[in-house]
């Protein structure tokens, strides 16, 4: 049986929560593009985030502990503390858990989640990287050559397109079995 993918689950990124690195308590509502929503309350005295959501008509709640590090240029950065993996993580993923109604939020490693790219073969990975480069440049599907984005230097645009073309060539070489590496 293959592992669940990170890309298929709802995620909660510590960097995307407004005012999390501040010292004041706050409450906020988070909403995903899928329509799911969750209330978030930050308690700086307890160093925890209280998450409230509804799953299948049931009100659910989970308190997630936070830990702090100091970046090199000052300030404070808060991380989630995974209750299963017992380590700091930047992202939590929603996962249904047996015996716990409504599921819970846990770290990627603790849930044994995999990334989409880990399921690809050696010949498919260069094509995926080339598609990502083209999407970054503005291509809808990652296949066609997009126009240069406004504000990007021509040298950067040409370098990225050349890199995408080289990755596509490498992928085809691997598909055809012409490469010793």
């Amino acid at each position: 049986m293959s592992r669940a993918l990170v890309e298929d689950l709802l995620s909660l990124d510590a960097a995307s929560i407004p005012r999390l690195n501040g010292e004041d308590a706050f409450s906020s509502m988070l909403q995903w593009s899928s329509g799911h929503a969750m209330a978030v309350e930050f308690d700086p005295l307890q160093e925890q985030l209280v998450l409230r959501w509804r799953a299948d008509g049931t009100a659910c709640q989970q308190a997630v502990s936070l830990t702090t590090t100091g970046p090199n240029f000052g300030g404070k950065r808060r991380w989630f503390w995974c209750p299963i993996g017992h380590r700091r993580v930047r992202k939590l993923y929603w996962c249904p858990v047996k015996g716990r109604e409504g599921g819970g939020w846990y770290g990627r490693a603790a849930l044994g989640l995999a990334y989409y790219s880990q399921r690809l073969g050696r010949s498919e990975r260069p094509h995926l990287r080339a598609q990502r480069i083209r999407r970054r440049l503005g291509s809808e599907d990652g296949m066609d050559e997009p126009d240069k984005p406004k504000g990007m230097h021509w040298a950067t645009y040409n370098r990225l397109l050349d890199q995408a073309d080289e990755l596509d060539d490498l992928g085809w070489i691997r598909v055809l079995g012409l490469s010793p590496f």
Side-chain angles (χ1 to χ4, degrees):
M1 183 174 166
S2 60
R3 299 187 298 176
L5 294 178
V6 165
E7 292 86 357
D8 293 338
L9 299 176
L10 293 177
S11 65
L12 181 62
D13 190 341
S16 69
I17 299 176
R19 303 190 328 247
L20 183 61
N21 292 325
E23 296 298 324
D24 298 328
F26 69 86
S27 63
S28 179
M29 195 71 175
L30 298 178
Q31 187 148 0
W32 286 265
S33 59
S34 63
H36 293 87
M38 178 172 59
V40 176
E41 293 178 13
F42 172 59
D43 181 4
L45 297 177
Q46 296 289 326
E47 281 288 320
Q48 71 178 6
L49 209 59
V50 178
L51 311 173
R52 290 186 174 90
W53 69 97
R54 294 192 73 75
D56 299 326
T58 305
C60 303
Q61 176 177 320
Q62 179 180 356
V64 177
S65 298
L66 301 170
T67 185
T68 305
T69 59
N72 290 335
F73 296 109
K76 179 188 284 192
R77 180 174 297 138
R78 285 204 169 88
W79 302 79
F80 299 122
W81 188 259
C82 177
I84 295 176
H86 304 292
R87 57 190 285 186
R88 76 174 192 216
V89 295
R90 178 178 163 169
K91 283 189 172 187
L92 295 175
Y93 297 92
W94 183 85
C95 180
V97 178
K98 285 186 177 178
R100 177 158 192 213
E101 195 164 337
W105 295 86
Y106 306 102
R108 181 188 61 83
L111 295 174
L113 300 176
Y115 292 104
Y116 170 73
S117 61
Q118 290 175 308
R119 291 206 180 154
L120 298 177
R122 282 193 48 179
S123 61
E124 297 168 312
R125 289 181 186 176
H127 292 298
L128 179 65
R129 288 181 56 204
Q131 286 178 352
R132 286 181 180 160
I133 290 170
R134 289 190 186 100
R135 281 194 193 109
R136 177 179 159 198
L137 293 174
S139 173
E140 294 272 332
D141 60 359
M143 299 301 218
D144 59 338
E145 186 173 306
D147 295 333
K148 182 184 82 67
K150 185 177 180 178
M152 181 179 280
H153 291 276
W154 276 103
T156 303
Y157 174 74
N158 290 328
R159 178 179 48 82
L160 289 172
L161 276 184
D162 289 344
Q163 188 178 11
D165 290 341
E166 288 173 10
L167 286 166
D168 272 335
D169 292 344
L170 175 62
W172 285 115
I173 287 172
R174 287 183 179 173
V175 165
L176 298 173
L178 302 175
S179 174
F181 55 94

